[in-house]
Amino acid sequence: MTAKWQSKQQLTELLTGLVNLASITGSKDEIALAQHLYYVLNDFPYFKEHPDHVKLHPLEDGRYFLTAFVKSKKETEDTVILMSHFDVVDVKDYGHLEHLAFRPHELTKELANSANLLPQPVKEDLETGDWLFGRGTMDMKAGLTVQLGMLEQAMNGEFDGNLLLLTVPDEEVNSAGMLGAVPVLQKLKQKYGLSYTACVNSEPMFSRYPNDENFYVYSGSIGKVLAGFYCSGVETHVGEPFSGLNANLIISELNRLLELNENYSEKAGGEVTPPPMNLMQKDLKEEYSVQIPHEAVSLFNILTMKRSMLELHGMLMNTASAAARRVEKFYDEKAKHYSRSVGYTPASYRVTVMSYDELLAYAVQKVGEEEVNRHIGYLKANRGDLDDRHFTNKIVSGLSGLCKELAPLIVVFYSPPFYPSVSSKEDAFIQDVLSDVQSYAGSKFGISLVNQEYFAGLSDLSFLQLRDSEESIRELTANMPIYGDHYKLPLDEIKALNIPVLNVGPYGKDPHKWTERLHLPYSFETCPELLNYTLKQIFKKADSDELRQA
């Protein structure tokens, strides 16, 4: 059979076609790309002969993830999952070049015509002629492209094991595609009698610091918690500032204590998680008036490696309490100073700190479970087009409204998405494979690959292992207002899969920026050989282990 997806030129053409489909998360093209892959794969003789081996799996919202299973000519249960995602972030950051964001060759040419306007590192890369620009070229349609090349090799009998391609939508927002795929992986395992030896993701390498020129492979993926703080102040007219307490003051102190707080950074070996950063901060006034904002909310991105949810939740509650005490002290000092000029006796405020599950229990005790359920049910029925984050905020606000006597108040809660940290650092099999890959990269290409435990860019590998205890996970789910309804985690299925993970991917720069670009020589010459070698080593070592055990 004539090769379609093996040479650098062929892979570049395949990537360009995938990028041309503007599969922004939630768009119609996200659906179209899955369908496009399905019909492209169906053209191969293998899938014409085995039509049930390639399938589109629908999600509840009408999107699809795709699986394509290629059975080895050698009779074996050993199966490697090749994982990828095909959605991309939006392209508003491209400005006047937005119309070219999904046309890599035209965009690269246009950038060359105005290279003097580019940042110096970007200009230098552009001048080499080795880089292709465009949304999704790096993150992560190049990885999907290389994996499709491996799938073609599998159809030609290249590997002594089975390959299962899994490519999903929505990785950039809620990972709905991967969460929907977890139960399907379990079903496919049973249907075909498979043993999942490993899951290989091909996310691109992420720089650990500016101008990082290292090449990486990964044996795990970092975790993420989206921590929320709802602040309820005491309303007043701006002409009577000491008759109330501004929610923006409370939320500002929280932001000051948590933003870039080094105490939340974890260390594992030589790796360090970035500190927390704010992803959303707003008061909940919907129109202008001279009433002070008495509701505000803030969401923080917190990355984890070894830290449990139990420990993290305790830290967040402590930070909220520290902010509450600082606000009280600040307010008292300002009120006393003002009273010297006006001549009144200032009142003090005590800011209450609660978790969402504590607020829920308080509301149930006050007004009854039926009234609480009716109130939340009304909010759900009138959700409209609010996304998960904004809808979560609305539920916490609504519940707080039933308990106004608690104000001023800080409520600690969680919003989707949640990514458990995963690691194969202690898995001797995976570490042995990666050691061989590192040696091969050095001898064949003169490249020093760094084995990093955690892929820092977040990935769907998170949903193939679960190391946190049930008690710890309950701390998350009990304090996530929409959990179990609008957002679910297939916890039992994840535990049952418990698949060793690793990431071998292409090389690019500036993910989620308008200067996103892919290094073509490494990505479509070196990376395919490294991935091929990785797969062969996995199957070889798996077979050796089985022989030893036999």
Side-chain angles (χ1 to χ4, degrees), residues 305-378:
M305 293 190 294
K306 308 291 186 185
R307 183 173 288 141
S308 71
M309 270 307 306
L310 275 174
E311 181 184 353
L312 178 60
H313 183 71
M315 293 174 66
L316 293 168
M317 292 293 289
N318 288 338
T319 298
S321 296
R325 304 294 81 81
R326 287 174 177 268
V327 167
E328 292 164 0
K329 181 180 179 182
F330 176 84
Y331 182 89
D332 285 347
E333 289 174 353
K334 296 300 181 183
K336 287 175 182 176
H337 180 79
Y338 188 70
S339 69
R340 296 189 193 108
S341 302
V342 177
Y344 81 105
T345 302
S348 293
Y349 284 110
R350 182 73 178 175
V351 181
T352 303
V353 177
M354 307 176 80
S355 60
Y356 173 77
D357 64 332
E358 290 172 333
L359 175 64
L360 180 61
Y362 182 94
V364 168
Q365 185 177 19
K366 178 186 176 183
V367 303
E369 187 173 0
E370 183 177 343
E371 175 60 19
V372 168
N373 289 339
R374 185 199 67 78
H375 189 77
I376 294 177
Y378 175 82

Side-chain angles (χ1 to χ4, degrees), residues 182-323:
V182 167
V184 171
L185 289 176
Q186 193 68 18
K187 291 176 182 176
L188 291 174
K189 180 180 180 180
Q190 295 168 356
K191 178 179 179 180
Y192 295 113
L194 307 178
S195 174
Y196 291 141
T197 310
C199 178
V200 180
N201 200 1
S202 292
E203 287 275 9
M205 305 170 199
F206 269 54
S207 300
R208 296 179 62 190
Y209 47 82
N211 301 318
D212 181 7
E213 298 296 332
N214 288 314
F215 292 92
Y216 294 100
V217 288
Y218 305 88
S219 54
S221 192
I222 206 164
K224 168 191 168 123
V225 175
L226 190 57
F229 299 88
Y230 166 83
C231 295
S232 175
V234 178
E235 61 269 30
T236 188
H237 189 285
V238 292
E240 298 182 285
F242 292 100
S243 293
L245 182 62
N246 199 320
N248 280 345
L249 170 62
I250 307 174
I251 208 73
S252 295
E253 187 61 28
L254 265 166
N255 289 347
R256 192 184 70 81
L257 289 181
L258 195 53
E259 181 81 10
L260 301 178
N261 187 330
E262 65 277 5
N263 293 325
Y264 283 82
S265 291
E266 284 187 72
K267 294 182 180 179
E271 299 173 39
V272 183
T273 61
M277 291 197 73
N278 183 272
L279 288 179
M280 176 193 295
Q281 193 274 307
K282 60 188 294 186
D283 66 61
L284 302 185
K285 279 181 66 175
E286 295 184 357
E287 67 285 316
Y288 171 80
S289 75
V290 291
Q291 182 191 56
I292 65 169
H294 61 278
E295 290 185 292
V297 69
S298 191
L299 299 182
F300 274 86
N301 185 78
I302 301 177
L303 301 176
T304 64
M305 293 190 294
K306 308 291 186 185
R307 183 173 288 141
S308 71
M309 270 307 306
L310 275 174
E311 181 184 353
L312 178 60
H313 183 71
M315 293 174 66
L316 293 168
M317 292 293 289
N318 288 338
T319 298
S321 296

Side-chain angles (χ1 to χ4, degrees), residues 44-197:
F44 281 87
Y46 177 88
F47 289 114
K48 288 180 179 179
E49 186 178 344
H50 304 91
D52 62 322
H53 283 202
V54 59
K55 187 173 182 180
L56 287 172
H57 305 265
L59 300 175
E60 291 180 358
D61 60 11
R63 290 180 290 180
Y64 301 94
F65 63 91
L66 179 141
T67 59
F69 175 58
V70 177
K71 187 171 178 58
S72 172
K73 294 178 180 178
K74 175 185 176 181
E75 196 61 38
T76 178
E77 297 178 352
D78 294 332
T79 304
V80 171
I81 300 170
L82 292 177
M83 174 192 287
S84 64
H85 70 87
F86 53 77
D87 63 314
V88 300
V89 297
D90 68 37
V91 293
K92 294 186 177 105
D93 54 327
Y94 279 81
H96 72 287
L97 296 173
E98 184 175 338
H99 65 295
L100 296 177
F102 296 110
R103 304 183 68 82
H105 293 294
E106 291 91 330
L107 175 62
T108 304
K109 183 177 180 180
E110 181 62 27
L111 290 173
N113 292 334
S114 54
N116 59 313
L117 302 177
L118 296 173
Q120 188 61 29
V122 181
K123 181 181 177 182
E124 290 173 1
D125 284 347
L126 183 64
E127 289 172 348
T128 67
D130 289 335
W131 296 81
L132 188 67
F133 289 71
R135 177 64 82 232
T137 52
M138 175 191 179
D139 185 15
M140 70 161 291
K141 290 179 179 177
L144 171 57
T145 296
V146 175
Q147 290 188 351
L148 288 168
M150 296 302 106
L151 200 70
E152 182 183 34
Q153 290 182 20
M155 287 185 269
N156 292 332
E158 180 76 8
F159 303 109
D160 289 335
N162 312 309
L163 288 190
L164 175 61
L165 180 81
L166 168 65
T167 188
V168 301
D170 195 55
E171 190 268 356
E172 300 289 2
V173 180
N174 285 328
S175 284
M178 187 60 196
L179 292 175
V182 167
V184 171
L185 289 176
Q186 193 68 18
K187 291 176 182 176
L188 291 174
K189 180 180 180 180
Q190 295 168 356
K191 178 179 179 180
Y192 295 113
L194 307 178
S195 174
Y196 291 141
T197 310

Side-chain angles (χ1 to χ4, degrees), residues 217 430-445 447 449 502 504 522 529-535 537-538 541:
V217 288
I430 295 298
Q431 293 306 316
D432 196 25
V433 169
L434 288 177
S435 178
D436 287 351
V437 173
Q438 288 175 291
S439 297
Y440 180 74
S443 62
K444 180 72 182 287
F445 302 105
I447 293 172
L449 282 178
L502 63 157
V504 178
Y522 183 93
E529 288 201 44
L530 289 179
L531 187 54
N532 172 284
Y533 182 81
T534 301
L535 295 174
Q537 290 302 104
I538 290 173
K541 292 178 185 297

